[in-house]
């Protein structure tokens, strides 16, 4: 049976068919759906871990215990998981261990464009790169075989376009994978210097064998066509290149680390002009240059952003699509925004009013940086807000802490915010941290986390009590407040930033998109009362619009959250159909 | 017509993902190869969203290029203007007349262009304007905008009406099938008053 599956769904299917027992992850676009889909199979234990490092450690433990296991993350998640990865490369595996890492060229939903192949090379682990959903499933199963045959973790590298494109996939049955015996083996699994020194040569030996495998495995294949043009490519770039050069010869790489040097030489010898087409870093290209093979790659193609058939055609063939119309209007950009009813809107309205420095973090609430809320000063990585607020205080003195806050979501706080907060307490900081507790992991599409009280499978579980957690590490001032109670919230923020000791404000209000959140009827503006003072426009609500000088509420977008009624001094905003 | 390139453009949250899922399902029931490229993550929060559907004997790239779309299905006027260069000169262009102001317009930093649909029609006389929000509202749920749009699009393909209806039935929750099919049918039977 063939089914139309997202790349991520196809990975999940491959995981199921490969007989995997344990699957872990921290959500991150574009990787999230992998583990969401795995969780639907009763045969597999799946979990959301607090962060990618823990997730990988759980997967390593399961592998050592003899199960096939996997761990999924976005590219920046691999930075968090790099510590266990680099040493798991030395220990090797018992049951197969595969990491699914999704890069985001073009930064559709990310803070940078790093290339996972570079980290994999550093960690000395092999990388497979599927180019569509069919290969996602197929390569997943091969990855587990490679992992066990070569005693190594394996990375399957994805990109946004592969993860989030659907393609037809043939479904097969799950294999019956017997747990491998667990045998104590400190020389393999205890990486203290004495043992690690003996493991490192084995890693180098393994890379040699993998280079051989890369040359001979069917993962890397030549498709002979016209030999005037030869193209070495992998992943989604293969699909784009096939559209632009349907008749050319291709060396299509499914294993991108280690690269098949022999195969590359054989291919290069036969073709006249050789292109390397790869998104992001010149990884394949540099290998060719090292082998003294002349290729055309990044001299014409960008290291920045996502590719497309159109871009390749333009850069390599100089052919640009003609414009077939006379429409030359300026089209205003449409950046993403906080949703109507979003609890963060109340928080940022107050922070902007108080003119505070706001150290931001990763999540929907990063959108508070955009006009008109324009409240967020910095965003670096998961958890950075808290450490950076502390750094600002230590650099500029405690006065800086009187006008600075860190804002961080509930899930991000658990991911890596708590350690920063411990640092503030330990090192006598006086910063104020606002935990934006919207009861869910929002941006990635509503995943449960340790603060929600439910597991990935929707089962009730213990819930981290953020208030008690903060108190336990030594924060004596913990306040809980609804950010839609604007006057109370403002009072609480004023008090806490003034305090000469560390404090936490838990801004508690659930995400407006959660199914259990009840919405009110859309609001409307009574034009007799409205003075067009535009206070409501300062909320940056997408439902409140200026229609040629008078303010209106778009009833198709308004969810009746009533936040705007609290900033209107003329009581001009009413329930549709009049005052109740 | 075996090879078809379709683009669905709109604003995050308008239900374009379900539209592409139905289209993908239709392609599968026609026995075609198909790829659908979706947008998940940050752009879904009210940003400009584009979904590509390509079907044919063999499909490589999941992305539709400029001047390539046989159908440009636009859930919002400004988004129609943003992506118009992707339509074939004689392609079907279906525009929901709904207007959603982007934040730069709300903050006064940019202006929402006037008479977008007329301007598009000057270059593409075959373009159709649909009051899909009003039609969906009359079906009892403004979220059915996507089904109205699918209905209008279905009419402009040579694919049997029943194939569309079956695909919708397979992709919406049982309790919403009736309302969604009603919206689809109203879209299918929609005639633009010239």
């Amino acid at each position: 049976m063939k089914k139309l599956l997202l790349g991520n769904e196809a990975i999940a299917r491959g995981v199921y068919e490969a007989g995997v027992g344990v699957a872990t992850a921290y959500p991150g676009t574009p990787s999230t759906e992998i583990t969401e889909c795995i969780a639907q199979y009763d045969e597999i234990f799946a979990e959301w871990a607090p962060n990618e490092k823990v997730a990988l450690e759980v997967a390593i433990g399961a592998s050592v215990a003899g199960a096939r296991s996997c761990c999924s993350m976005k590219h920046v998640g691999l930075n968090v998981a790099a510590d266990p990865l680099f040493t798991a490369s030395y220990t090797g595996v018992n049951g197969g261990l595969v990491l699914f890492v999704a890069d985001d060229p073009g930064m559709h939903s990310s803070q940078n464009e790093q290339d996972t192949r570079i980290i994999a090379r550093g960690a000395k682990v092999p990388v497979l790169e599927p180019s569509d959903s069919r290969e996602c499933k197929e390569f997943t199963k091969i990855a587990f075989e490679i992992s066990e045959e070569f005693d190594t973790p394996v990375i399957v590298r994805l990109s946004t376009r592969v993860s989030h494109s659907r393609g037809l996939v043939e479904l097969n049955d799950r294999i019956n994978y017997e747990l491998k015996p667990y045998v104590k083996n400190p020389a393999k699994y205890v990486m203290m210097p004495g043992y690690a020194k003996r493991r490192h040569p084995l890693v180098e030996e393994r890379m040699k064998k993998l280079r051989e495998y890369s040359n001979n495995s069917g993962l890397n294949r030549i498709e002979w066509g016209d030999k005037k043009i030869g193209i070495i490519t992998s992943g989604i770039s293969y699909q784009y290149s096939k559209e632009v050069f349907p008749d050319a010869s291709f060396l299509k790489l499914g294993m991108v680390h280690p690269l098949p040097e022999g195969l590359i030489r054989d291919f290069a010898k036969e073709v006249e002009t050789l292109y390397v087409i790869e998104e992001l870093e010149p990884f394949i290209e540099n290998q060719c240059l090292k082998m003294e093979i002349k290729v055309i790659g990044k001299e014409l193609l960008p290291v920045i952003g996502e590719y497309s058939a159109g871009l390749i055609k333009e850069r390599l063939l100089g052919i640009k699509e003609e414009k077939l119309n006379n429409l030359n209007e300026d089209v205003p950009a449409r950046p993403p925004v906080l949703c109507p009813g979003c609890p963060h809107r109340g928080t940022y309205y107050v922070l902007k009013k108080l003119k505070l420095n706001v150290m931001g973090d990763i999540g929907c609430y990063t959108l508070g940086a955009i006009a008109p809320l324009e409240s967020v000063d910095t965003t670096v990585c998961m958890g950075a807000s808290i450490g950076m607020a502390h750094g600002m205080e230590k650099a500029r003195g405690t006065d800086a802490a009187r006008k600075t806050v860190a804002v961080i979501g509930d899930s991000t706080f658990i991911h890596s915010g708590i350690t920063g907060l411990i640092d503030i307490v330990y090192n006598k900081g006086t910063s104020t941290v606002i935990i934006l507790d919207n009861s869910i992991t929002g941006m990635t599409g509503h995943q449960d986390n340790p603060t929600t009280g439910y597991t990935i499978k929707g089962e009730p579980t213990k819930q981290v009590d953020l208030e008690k957690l903060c108190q336990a590490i030594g924060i004596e001032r913990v306040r809980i407040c609804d950010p839609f109670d604007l006057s109370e919230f403002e009072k609480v923020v004023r008090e806490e930033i003034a305090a000469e000791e560390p404090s936490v404000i838990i801004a508690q209000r659930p995400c407006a998109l959660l199914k259990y959140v009840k919405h009110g009827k859309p609001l409307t503006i009574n034009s007799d009362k409205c003075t067009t003072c535009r206070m409501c426009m300062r909320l940056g609500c997408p439902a409140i619009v200026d229609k040629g000088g008078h303010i209106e509420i778009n009833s198709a977008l308004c969810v009746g959250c009533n936040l705007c009624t609290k900033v209107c001094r003329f009581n001009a905003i009413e329930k549709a159909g009049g005052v109740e | 017509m075996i090879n078809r390139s379709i683009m669905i453009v709109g604003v995050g949250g308008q239900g374009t993902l379900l539209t592409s899922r139905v289209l993908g399902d239709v392609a599968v029931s026609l026995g075609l190869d198909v790829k659908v490229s979706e947008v998940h993550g940050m752009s879904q929060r009210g940003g400009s969203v584009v979904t590509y559907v390509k079907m044919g004997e063999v499909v490589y790239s999941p992305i539709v290029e400029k001047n390539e779309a046989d159908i440009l299905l636009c859930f919002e006027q400004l988004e129609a203007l943003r992506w118009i260069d992707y339509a074939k000169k004689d392609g079907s262009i279906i525009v929901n007349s709904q207007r959603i102001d982007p934040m730069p317009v709300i903050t006064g930093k940019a202006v929402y262009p006037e008479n977008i649909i007329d301007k598009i029609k000057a270059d593409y006389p075959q373009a159709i304007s649909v009051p899909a929000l009003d039609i969906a509202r009359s079906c009892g749920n403004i979220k059915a905008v996507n089904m109205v749009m699918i209905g209008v699009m279905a009419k402009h393909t040579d694919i049997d009406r029943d194939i569309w209806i079956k695909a919708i039935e397979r992709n919406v929750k049982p309790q919403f099938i009736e309302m969604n099919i009603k919206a689809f049918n109203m879209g299918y039977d929609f005639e633009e008053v010239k």
Side-chain angles (χ1 to χ4, degrees):
Chain A
M1 187 179 76
K2 273 193 181 177
K3 259 187 105 172
L4 191 59
L5 298 181
L6 278 181
N8 284 347
E9 292 171 343
I11 295 278
R13 181 70 197 187
V15 163
Y16 168 77
E17 290 178 11
V20 168
V22 175
T24 65
Y26 182 83
T29 313
S31 71
T32 311
E33 300 81 7
I34 296 173
T35 314
E36 285 183 317
C37 293
I38 290 174
Q40 290 166 13
Y41 296 108
D42 292 337
E43 295 88 340
I44 306 172
F45 170 82
E47 70 167 40
W48 292 130
N51 64 37
E52 294 86 352
K53 177 178 182 290
V54 175
L56 181 54
E57 288 154 356
V58 173
I60 294 169
S63 161
V64 170
R68 281 190 167 179
S69 62
C70 68
C71 181
S72 309
M73 62 201 73
K74 66 185 294 172
H75 58 316
V76 285
L78 186 59
N79 302 338
V80 180
D83 199 2
L85 174 68
F86 274 63
T87 303
S89 170
Y90 278 31
T91 66
V93 306
N94 186 17
L97 172 62
V98 177
L99 286 78
F100 301 104
V101 186
D103 288 2
D104 189 16
M107 292 180 274
H108 294 272
S109 210
S110 302
Q111 65 270 40
N112 75 24
E113 273 188 302
Q114 71 186 49
D115 188 324
T116 287
R117 296 174 298 177
I118 310 279
I119 294 189
R121 184 167 58 199
K124 298 175 192 280
V125 295
V127 181
L128 308 190
E129 187 172 19
S131 70
D132 60 14
S133 296
R134 186 180 61 76
E135 287 186 349
C136 279
K137 198 199 88 169
E138 193 184 312
F139 286 14
T140 293
K141 292 163 84 172
I142 296 170
F144 282 101
E145 288 162 14
I146 294 174
S147 173
E148 287 168 6
E149 185 183 339
F150 293 91
D151 194 10
T152 178
V154 176
I155 290 176
V156 174
R157 181 204 186 208
L158 303 158
S159 65
T160 303
R161 277 305 158 191
V162 171
S163 282
H164 288 163
S165 290
R166 291 177 188 276
L168 290 169
V169 181
E170 182 79 42
L171 305 188
N172 299 99
D173 292 334
R174 177 173 164 93
I175 63 161
N176 186 18
Y177 185 85
E178 296 272 336
L179 274 185
K180 297 205 164 165
Y182 174 66
V183 182
K184 284 180 191 282
N185 188 352
K188 179 162 158 55
Y189 294 119
V190 180
M191 286 303 96
M192 57 188 195
Y195 291 141
K197 280 177 191 169
R198 283 189 245 159
R199 292 297 302 179
H200 190 183
L202 298 177
V203 172
E204 300 304 328
E205 194 56 36
R206 179 179 80 204
M207 284 307 291
K208 257 188 220 159
K209 288 182 190 152
L210 281 163
R211 260 178 223 117
E212 248 346 272
Y213 175 87
S214 189
N215 270 320
N216 301 315
S217 120
L219 286 166
N220 300 320
R221 64 166 195 264
I222 294 176
E223 298 169 5
W224 288 119
D226 185 348
K227 293 188 177 175
K228 281 206 183 86
I229 293 178
I231 294 165
I232 306 177
T233 183
S234 70
I236 192 67
S237 299
Y238 167 77
Q239 307 291 355
Y240 301 147
S241 307
K242 283 295 268 191
E243 299 245 334
V244 180
F245 301 98
D247 303 320
S249 294
F250 279 81
L251 172 53
K252 197 272 186 195
L253 301 176
M255 185 174 214
V256 289
H257 183 252
L259 285 161
E261 293 180 20
L263 206 56
I264 290 173
R265 276 190 209 289
D266 293 346
F267 184 72
K269 262 189 280 181
E270 299 280 328
V271 297
E272 276 177 40
T273 307
L274 183 56
Y275 293 111
V276 173
I277 303 179
E278 56 187 326
E279 285 179 329
L280 301 181
E281 295 301 306
F283 188 85
I284 304 170
E285 181 176 344
N286 284 350
Q287 179 67 36
C288 292
L289 295 179
K290 212 170 123 196
M291 291 160 60
E292 296 182 332
I293 293 171
K294 192 182 153 16
V295 299
I296 301 168
K298 296 297 178 188
E299 61 186 275
L300 296 178
L301 292 162
V303 292
I304 297 168
E306 207 181 10
Y307 286 7
S308 65
L311 176 128
I312 293 168
K313 205 158 142 188
E314 193 180 326
R315 296 296 182 98
L316 298 188
L317 301 177
I319 303 172
K320 211 177 161 178
E321 282 299 326
E322 228 181 304
K323 191 166 168 71
L324 303 179
N325 58 52
N326 304 305
L327 294 159
N328 291 309
E329 299 262 342
D330 278 335
V331 181
R334 189 185 298 275
V337 289
L338 296 174
C339 305
C342 176
H344 306 324
R345 183 166 286 110
T347 303
Y348 286 129
Y349 177 79
V350 169
L351 298 184
K352 182 166 187 186
K353 186 176 171 195
L354 298 179
K355 298 193 174 70
L356 299 181
N357 302 324
V358 178
M359 303 294 109
D361 224 295
I362 306 279
C364 286
Y365 49 91
T366 312
L367 296 171
I370 298 171
L373 292 166
E374 287 176 304
S375 306
V376 176
D377 298 19
T378 65
T379 298
V380 176
C381 68
M382 294 286 287
S385 59
I386 300 180
M388 287 178 71
H390 185 54
M392 186 165 263
E393 178 181 0
K394 293 304 175 188
R396 302 188 71 89
T398 49
D399 281 358
R402 302 291 71 81
K403 47 189 180 192
T404 302
V405 294
V407 294
I408 183 166
D410 48 344
S411 187
T412 310
F413 180 71
I414 295 293
H415 179 284
S416 46
I418 180 71
T419 39
L421 193 57
I422 291 171
D423 187 45
I424 289 178
V425 175
Y426 174 53
N427 287 303
K428 304 182 176 188
T430 66
S431 293
T432 299
V433 173
I434 303 178
I435 302 176
L436 306 170
D437 180 7
N438 64 349
S439 311
I440 202 72
T441 313
M443 178 63 88
T444 43
H446 286 181
Q447 290 72 34
D448 279 295
N449 68 54
T451 71
T452 68
Y454 291 91
T455 69
I456 190 172
K457 301 217 180 198
E459 294 154 353
T461 183
K462 292 249 187 202
Q463 186 175 6
V464 171
D465 184 327
L466 288 172
E467 184 184 15
K468 282 190 188 152
L469 176 62
C470 295
Q471 286 164 345
I473 62 168
I475 303 276
E476 286 172 17
R477 301 180 69 99
V478 184
R479 308 280 293 270
I480 298 176
C481 190
D482 177 356
F484 269 27
D485 187 344
L486 291 176
S487 50
E488 175 68 13
F489 190 73
E490 181 180 331
K491 183 171 151 268
V492 168
V493 173
R494 280 182 190 277
E495 286 168 7
E496 294 314 315
I497 54 173
E500 297 271 348
E501 58 177 303
S503 58
V504 169
I505 301 166
I506 302 174
Q508 220 165 44
R509 188 175 186 86
C511 172
L513 298 181
L514 281 167
K515 289 222 164 60
Y516 64 78
V517 173
K518 294 274 173 275
H519 293 307
K521 288 217 167 88
L523 301 170
T524 183
I525 292 180
N526 182 336
S527 54
D528 294 339
K529 290 188 187 169
C530 178
T531 63
T532 330
C533 73
R534 311 177 73 87
M535 273 304 283
C536 55
M537 302 288 290
R538 293 194 194 177
L539 291 170
C541 176
I544 307 177
V545 294
D546 180 343
K547 281 280 164 79
H550 70 278
I551 314 298
E552 273 184 20
I553 291 180
N554 183 336
S555 65
L557 298 180
C558 177
V559 295
C561 76
N562 285 325
L563 187 66
C564 53
T565 64
K566 293 171 189 162
V567 300
C568 180
R569 280 174 293 174
F570 305 97
N571 296 319
I573 305 175
E574 302 167 351
K575 290 231 155 60
V579 187
E580 276 178 19
Chain B
M1 192 167 78
I2 288 183
N3 291 298
R4 285 189 190 83
S5 294
I6 300 147
M7 274 172 78
I8 306 158
V9 304
V11 178
Q14 280 194 299
T16 54
L17 276 185
L18 179 58
T19 310
S20 63
R21 203 160 298 161
V22 169
L23 263 165
D25 195 310
V26 164
V28 173
S29 50
L30 293 171
L32 297 172
D33 189 15
V34 57
K35 282 187 180 161
V36 181
S37 184
E38 301 177 352
V39 175
H40 298 233
M42 194 180 249
S43 304
Q44 273 185 303
R45 303 280 171 264
S48 170
V49 168
V50 53
T51 306
Y52 309 92
V53 181
K54 283 172 80 174
M55 51 183 96
E57 272 179 85
V58 182
V59 179
Y60 290 108
S61 165
I63 295 180
V64 178
E65 303 290 337
K66 282 186 178 168
N67 303 333
E68 208 179 79
D70 298 292
I71 301 173
L72 187 63
L73 191 65
C74 314
F75 278 57
E76 199 271 347
Q77 292 187 40
L78 184 65
E79 296 311 307
L81 193 57
R82 190 186 313 282
W83 298 99
I84 192 69
D85 290 352
Y86 285 74
K88 273 188 183 156
K89 192 69 201 178
D90 60 351
S92 298
I93 297 164
I94 302 161
V95 187
N96 176 9
S97 55
Q98 193 177 346
R99 167 175 166 168
I100 300 175
D101 285 7
M103 202 44 72
V105 170
I106 289 176
T107 58
K109 283 182 184 150
V111 177
Y112 195 102
E114 293 301 318
N115 306 320
I116 289 176
I117 291 173
D118 290 343
K119 284 172 186 162
I120 289 175
K121 282 182 175 176
D123 272 302
Y124 302 87
Q126 75 276 23
I128 303 163
S129 164
V130 189
L133 187 64
D134 296 338
I135 297 175
R137 208 173 257 141
S138 74
C139 291
N141 193 336
I142 57 169
K143 287 196 173 138
V145 161
N146 49 12
M147 293 298 141
V148 176
M149 295 297 285
I150 292 174
V152 180
M153 169 174 61
K155 180 77 172 287
H156 291 83
T157 65
D158 48 7
I159 301 165
D160 204 53
R161 187 171 183 156
D162 271 351
I163 291 178
W164 292 96
I165 290 177
K166 292 216 171 72
I168 292 169
E169 286 172 353
R170 281 190 293 266
N171 284 281
V172 302
K173 288 197 178 127
Q175 65 268 36
F176 298 122
I177 288 178
E178 198 187 324
M179 185 269 296
N180 279 297
I181 300 290
K182 189 176 166 196
F184 168 84
N185 281 328
M186 286 186 77
Y188 198 95
D189 298 328
F190 169 78
E191 300 266 352
E192 190 180 3
V193 184
K194 300 272 174 183

